[in-house]
Amino acid sequence: MALTAGIIGLPNVGKSTLFNAITKKNILAANYPFATIDPNVGIVTVPDQRLEVLEKMYVPERLIPTSYEFTDIAGLVKGASLGEGLGNKFLSHIREVDAICEVVRCFEDGNIIHVEGNVDPVRDIEIINLELTMADLEIIDSRIDKVEKKARTNKDKETLEEIAILKKAKEALEKNIPLRLVDFTDEEKLVLKSYNFLTIKPMIYLANISEEDLTLEDHPYVKKVEEYAAKEQAITIKICAKVESELSELNDDDKAEMLEALGIKESGLDQLIKATYTLLGLATYFTVGSDEVRAWTFRRGMNAKECAGIIHSDFEKGFIRAEVMSYDDLVTYGSELKVRENGKARLEGKDYLMQDGDICHFRFNV
């Protein structure tokens, strides 16, 4: 399932360093704006300890975790919606992602130039969010100007309803309210979906701090980001891109040792990956066997037939039933046989809503 989270921010806030750590890719990270011109896409593994347990139980030839994409997008500057910097090219890349991770500089470093001259996280957030808002308003105004007169003349009910929804969105944006905070009906959301608006995408704020401040409980810059994010009902994650880059080069044992030495329980990247996975409304089901144990990503609310189609379209087309047991039941009873003997294995039809942690075997016939 091709789902993507985009990493955005002003130049020199640590985006590319963070992206390198996430994907272990050695892309260009330089101390000047637009070091990254084209979006860099990396596949990210979702941490899931359940896979380790299943691997010990089945000893498969292959172990395949679930994953999704992170896209590193070139640094945004003030005036991007008007074409400044990389302008609309940057904004078009953001339209292609499902969620936005906005990196905010919360560290002082005289050796790293700040594009605005000094560190001020709220100002930086507002610069970016204003550009996203302006870009959405431009699309709304363009669409209304194009079709409103004709729709009123022809009394085209569907288009007039669309215009009313767009005007509702415009009114919110003009009050600096992102569209993700507007109370749209399901029908209105369906109309807006085709526009791929920037401010309707879920947002995570990444407060990038220095290594020295990792264990600081009441970081003044981070606190400002958290207060801003709270107003938007958004998530804030404290992260040190430099440390994450170092952690990404270590094996699991050395990583755990370094985290303990730093006095932190979980890396910022693991927090980010889990938070983004949750933010996108994703969950995981498993297929198991001696040849392969694999995790599969699905959207919460998908039924068994749709989830079968994630593996292969033939599975969905010829779906008969799903043999399902829960991960928790498998761990409790210790084997598939014991799960069946205790009446915990189930046969589910096409309309069964898949649950996180389901272990499935799909029956199909094409």
Side-chain angles (χ1 to χ4, degrees), residues 107-175:
F107 64 90
E108 300 278 0
D109 189 334
N111 296 318
I112 300 178
I113 302 162
H114 192 295
V115 72
E116 290 295 318
N118 68 309
V119 178
D120 184 340
V122 171
R123 176 205 58 207
D124 294 354
I125 289 171
E126 290 178 342
I127 286 173
I128 286 186
N129 289 358
L130 177 60
E131 296 305 327
L132 302 184
T133 296
M134 295 299 291
D136 281 352
L137 278 170
E138 184 180 353
I139 287 177
I140 290 173
D141 287 338
S142 176
R143 176 62 179 169
I144 290 174
D145 289 346
K146 185 177 180 180
V147 301
E148 184 173 30
K149 186 175 180 182
K150 185 178 179 180
R152 294 199 183 284
T153 301
N154 298 336
K155 296 190 168 125
D156 184 334
K157 183 181 177 183
E158 190 173 311
T159 307
L160 287 171
E161 288 175 354
E162 177 190 356
I163 291 167
I165 296 166
L166 289 174
K167 286 186 175 180
K168 178 179 177 179
K170 180 179 179 178
E171 184 179 348
L173 291 171
E174 287 177 339
K175 295 176 181 176

Side-chain angles (χ1 to χ4, degrees), residues 50-52 54-56 60-65 291-295:
R50 294 174 295 184
L51 273 179
E52 298 172 18
L54 293 173
E55 183 180 24
K56 289 176 182 176
E61 294 176 16
R62 296 181 303 278
L63 182 72
I64 306 175
D291 58 333
E292 178 183 281
V293 167
R294 182 165 183 166

